[in-house]
Amino acid sequence: MVASRRDAMVAGLLSVGGMLAAGPAWAQTVSVSPGQDAPAETSPVVVELFTSQGCSSCPPADRMLQEMVHHPQVLPLSLHVDYWDYLGWKDGLADPMFTRRQKAYARAQGSRMVYTPQMIIDGQGFVKGAHEVEVADEIARARLRPKSVRVEVGKAAGGGYHLEVLPTEGLAAGPMQVTLVHYLPHKQVEILRGENAGARIDYVNVVTFWRPVADWDGRAPLKLAFDPVQDRPGAVLVQRAGMGPIEAAARLP
């Protein structure tokens, strides 16, 4: 019997976790079933998918992202780039900012090339294309990496939020950037021209806002209050400067 893509991904996560002799952090992860709430102290693995409506290779990766939204221990984010718009279809979800972000990742890796689809897991696992086993392996590895940072986000009076970023073991060598993200949970698009002409594609967790809200040196706890910018779900990410690893993330409650 051939397992579904979702079953294959979950099986990959579990098998890699077993092979790497996971500790308590991984035990927390695998104890959470799809649809259950993740433990409050668990930072989800951030999966950035760089995609485009004008890319014929992207729909399988877009479908993989749909499967990830069922797992609270993973925070999938769809970042649409604009460099395929010249092929005959302008991606209405694209933002040049995401093209710049992907290029910055490439430069940090010593490369001049960008491509779609590409998944970047926690800022340090790079997967070209829609390869489920590779993605599952990278997610499992990310769950096993020690986290030097913890993020706590709560609701504040008046509709805003209060945020605390803490080093987990005394010091978390900085500098780091704290970023606020908002995303559209679902958007179906009918593509009329270009490489995907005639397709109707469902996109999930489409990023519509991405902006740094603070810099942090990783020493003393960082506390700040902020208001949501959009009336959409969101998250806070803490990433090392220079397109380094994403050390922590938390969804907005």
Side-chain angles (χ1 to χ4, degrees):
M1 178 182 295
V2 178
S4 69
R5 282 189 297 271
R6 184 184 303 171
D7 292 342
M9 181 173 292
V10 174
L13 289 170
L14 295 176
S15 63
V16 174
M19 287 189 294
L20 295 179
W26 178 249
Q28 283 184 344
T29 298
V30 297
S31 68
V32 179
S33 300
Q36 293 181 331
D37 291 333
E41 69 273 12
T42 301
S43 177
V45 175
V46 178
V47 178
E48 300 175 65
L49 169 62
F50 292 92
T51 186
S52 172
Q53 295 172 17
C55 161
S56 62
S57 302
C58 286
D62 298 320
R63 288 192 292 270
M64 285 180 62
L65 217 68
Q66 293 177 38
E67 295 152 6
M68 292 181 193
V69 300
H70 299 286
H71 299 277
Q73 64 267 39
V74 179
L75 175 58
L77 298 172
S78 181
L79 289 82
H80 285 240
V81 298
D82 63 353
Y83 49 81
W84 296 126
D85 287 359
Y86 77 93
L87 293 176
W89 177 254
K90 182 177 175 59
D91 189 331
L93 303 175
D95 191 318
M97 177 192 308
F98 304 144
T99 299
R100 293 193 295 269
R101 179 170 176 82
Q102 189 185 21
K103 288 181 177 179
Y105 269 128
R107 287 194 299 271
Q109 294 295 306
S111 174
R112 297 182 179 180
M113 299 294 294
V114 293
Y115 42 80
T116 54
Q118 181 184 33
M119 289 190 185
I120 300 180
I121 292 88
D122 262 1
Q124 55 190 322
F126 296 79
V127 178
K128 179 180 179 180
H131 301 291
E132 293 169 357
V133 173
E134 291 181 37
V135 171
D137 287 354
E138 290 294 346
I139 291 174
R141 290 189 187 99
R143 294 302 299 160
L144 293 173
R145 292 186 186 105
K147 294 290 187 181
S148 62
V149 177
R150 187 171 82 252
V151 178
E152 298 177 359
V153 183
K155 291 184 177 179
Y161 296 93
H162 56 81
L163 167 71
E164 187 168 15
V165 186
L166 306 135
T168 58
E169 295 182 0
L171 296 177
M176 303 186 200
Q177 193 170 72
V178 183
T179 299
L180 172 64
V181 176
H182 285 288
Y183 50 88
L184 182 65
H186 175 256
K187 177 72 172 179
Q188 186 178 83
V189 178
E190 184 177 2
I191 300 174
L192 303 179
R193 295 181 301 278
E195 292 189 350
N196 289 317
R200 183 179 281 109
I201 301 177
D202 291 290
Y203 298 102
V204 296
N205 288 14
V206 179
V207 176
T208 55
F209 181 86
W210 186 291
R211 185 173 299 168
V213 294
D215 293 318
W216 184 49
D217 63 6
R219 296 178 180 275
L222 171 68
K223 297 181 180 182
L224 58 89
F226 64 95
D227 293 322
V229 178
Q230 296 180 349
D231 186 20
R232 289 174 175 167
V236 173
L237 315 179
V238 180
Q239 184 169 20
R240 292 192 178 276
M243 307 307 293
I246 294 176
E247 291 289 352
R251 291 177 175 88
L252 298 184

